[in-house]
PDB file of all heavy atoms in Angstrom:
ATOM      1  N   GLY Q  26      94.454  56.459  19.465  1.00  0.00           N
ATOM      2  CA  GLY Q  26      93.069  56.666  19.873  1.00  0.00           C
ATOM      3  C   GLY Q  26      92.320  57.592  18.938  1.00  0.00           C
ATOM      4  O   GLY Q  26      91.163  57.336  18.583  1.00  0.00           O
ATOM      5  N   GLY Q  27      92.980  58.671  18.514  1.00  0.00           N
ATOM      6  CA  GLY Q  27      92.349  59.603  17.584  1.00  0.00           C
ATOM      7  C   GLY Q  27      92.074  58.969  16.235  1.00  0.00           C
ATOM      8  O   GLY Q  27      90.999  59.179  15.640  1.00  0.00           O
ATOM      9  N   THR Q  28      93.032  58.183  15.755  1.00  0.00           N
ATOM     10  CA  THR Q  28      92.851  57.504  14.467  1.00  0.00           C
ATOM     11  C   THR Q  28      91.740  56.470  14.556  1.00  0.00           C
ATOM     12  O   THR Q  28      90.916  56.338  13.642  1.00  0.00           O
ATOM     13  CB  THR Q  28      94.161  56.826  14.033  1.00  0.00           C
ATOM     14  OG1 THR Q  28      95.215  57.791  14.018  1.00  0.00           O
ATOM     15  CG2 THR Q  28      94.027  56.217  12.640  1.00  0.00           C
ATOM     16  N   TYR Q  29      91.711  55.733  15.677  1.00  0.00           N
ATOM     17  CA  TYR Q  29      90.651  54.746  15.862  1.00  0.00           C
ATOM     18  C   TYR Q  29      89.283  55.428  15.904  1.00  0.00           C
ATOM     19  O   TYR Q  29      88.326  54.962  15.282  1.00  0.00           O
ATOM     20  CB  TYR Q  29      90.879  53.947  17.146  1.00  0.00           C
ATOM     21  CG  TYR Q  29      89.795  52.932  17.409  1.00  0.00           C
ATOM     22  CD1 TYR Q  29      89.831  51.683  16.787  1.00  0.00           C
ATOM     23  CD2 TYR Q  29      88.736  53.220  18.256  1.00  0.00           C
ATOM     24  CE1 TYR Q  29      88.822  50.750  17.002  1.00  0.00           C
ATOM     25  CE2 TYR Q  29      87.726  52.296  18.483  1.00  0.00           C
ATOM     26  CZ  TYR Q  29      87.780  51.057  17.857  1.00  0.00           C
ATOM     27  OH  TYR Q  29      86.779  50.143  18.061  1.00  0.00           O
ATOM     28  N   TRP Q  30      89.186  56.523  16.644  1.00  0.00           N
ATOM     29  CA  TRP Q  30      87.910  57.239  16.731  1.00  0.00           C
ATOM     30  C   TRP Q  30      87.468  57.721  15.358  1.00  0.00           C
ATOM     31  O   TRP Q  30      86.290  57.585  14.991  1.00  0.00           O
ATOM     32  CB  TRP Q  30      88.048  58.427  17.683  1.00  0.00           C
ATOM     33  CG  TRP Q  30      86.785  59.249  17.754  1.00  0.00           C
ATOM     34  CD1 TRP Q  30      85.693  59.032  18.538  1.00  0.00           C
ATOM     35  CD2 TRP Q  30      86.482  60.410  16.971  1.00  0.00           C
ATOM     36  NE1 TRP Q  30      84.720  59.975  18.300  1.00  0.00           N
ATOM     37  CE2 TRP Q  30      85.171  60.836  17.345  1.00  0.00           C
ATOM     38  CE3 TRP Q  30      87.179  61.128  16.001  1.00  0.00           C
ATOM     39  CZ2 TRP Q  30      84.558  61.949  16.773  1.00  0.00           C
ATOM     40  CZ3 TRP Q  30      86.574  62.239  15.429  1.00  0.00           C
ATOM     41  CH2 TRP Q  30      85.284  62.650  15.809  1.00  0.00           C
ATOM     42  N   LEU Q  31      88.403  58.263  14.590  1.00  0.00           N
ATOM     43  CA  LEU Q  31      88.073  58.811  13.279  1.00  0.00           C
ATOM     44  C   LEU Q  31      87.535  57.749  12.332  1.00  0.00           C
ATOM     45  O   LEU Q  31      86.528  57.961  11.649  1.00  0.00           O
ATOM     46  CB  LEU Q  31      89.306  59.485  12.675  1.00  0.00           C
ATOM     47  CG  LEU Q  31      89.141  60.092  11.275  1.00  0.00           C
ATOM     48  CD1 LEU Q  31      88.148  61.245  11.307  1.00  0.00           C
ATOM     49  CD2 LEU Q  31      90.499  60.570  10.746  1.00  0.00           C
ATOM     50  N   PHE Q  32      88.193  56.592  12.298  1.00  0.00           N
ATOM     51  CA  PHE Q  32      87.840  55.575  11.306  1.00  0.00           C
ATOM     52  C   PHE Q  32      86.896  54.492  11.822  1.00  0.00           C
ATOM     53  O   PHE Q  32      86.284  53.783  11.033  1.00  0.00           O
ATOM     54  CB  PHE Q  32      89.111  54.920  10.755  1.00  0.00           C
ATOM     55  CG  PHE Q  32      89.928  55.833   9.895  1.00  0.00           C
ATOM     56  CD1 PHE Q  32      91.160  56.297  10.324  1.00  0.00           C
ATOM     57  CD2 PHE Q  32      89.464  56.253   8.657  1.00  0.00           C
ATOM     58  CE1 PHE Q  32      91.915  57.142   9.536  1.00  0.00           C
ATOM     59  CE2 PHE Q  32      90.203  57.100   7.854  1.00  0.00           C
ATOM     60  CZ  PHE Q  32      91.440  57.551   8.300  1.00  0.00           C
ATOM     61  N   TYR Q  33      86.801  54.360  13.142  1.00  0.00           N
ATOM     62  CA  TYR Q  33      85.990  53.269  13.683  1.00  0.00           C
ATOM     63  C   TYR Q  33      84.835  53.715  14.588  1.00  0.00           C
ATOM     64  O   TYR Q  33      83.816  53.033  14.670  1.00  0.00           O
ATOM     65  CB  TYR Q  33      86.871  52.301  14.495  1.00  0.00           C
ATOM     66  CG  TYR Q  33      87.715  51.377  13.656  1.00  0.00           C
ATOM     67  CD1 TYR Q  33      88.950  51.793  13.168  1.00  0.00           C
ATOM     68  CD2 TYR Q  33      87.289  50.086  13.349  1.00  0.00           C
ATOM     69  CE1 TYR Q  33      89.740  50.951  12.406  1.00  0.00           C
ATOM     70  CE2 TYR Q  33      88.072  49.230  12.582  1.00  0.00           C
ATOM     71  CZ  TYR Q  33      89.293  49.668  12.112  1.00  0.00           C
ATOM     72  OH  TYR Q  33      90.079  48.840  11.348  1.00  0.00           O
ATOM     73  N   ALA Q  34      84.993  54.808  15.313  1.00  0.00           N
ATOM     74  CA  ALA Q  34      84.036  55.113  16.376  1.00  0.00           C
ATOM     75  C   ALA Q  34      83.212  56.372  16.179  1.00  0.00           C
ATOM     76  O   ALA Q  34      82.175  56.525  16.838  1.00  0.00           O
ATOM     77  CB  ALA Q  34      84.788  55.210  17.712  1.00  0.00           C
TER      78      ALA Q  34
END
Side-chain angles (χ1 to χ4, degrees):
T28 305
Y29 179 83
W30 177 85
L31 179 65
F32 290 111
Y33 284 85

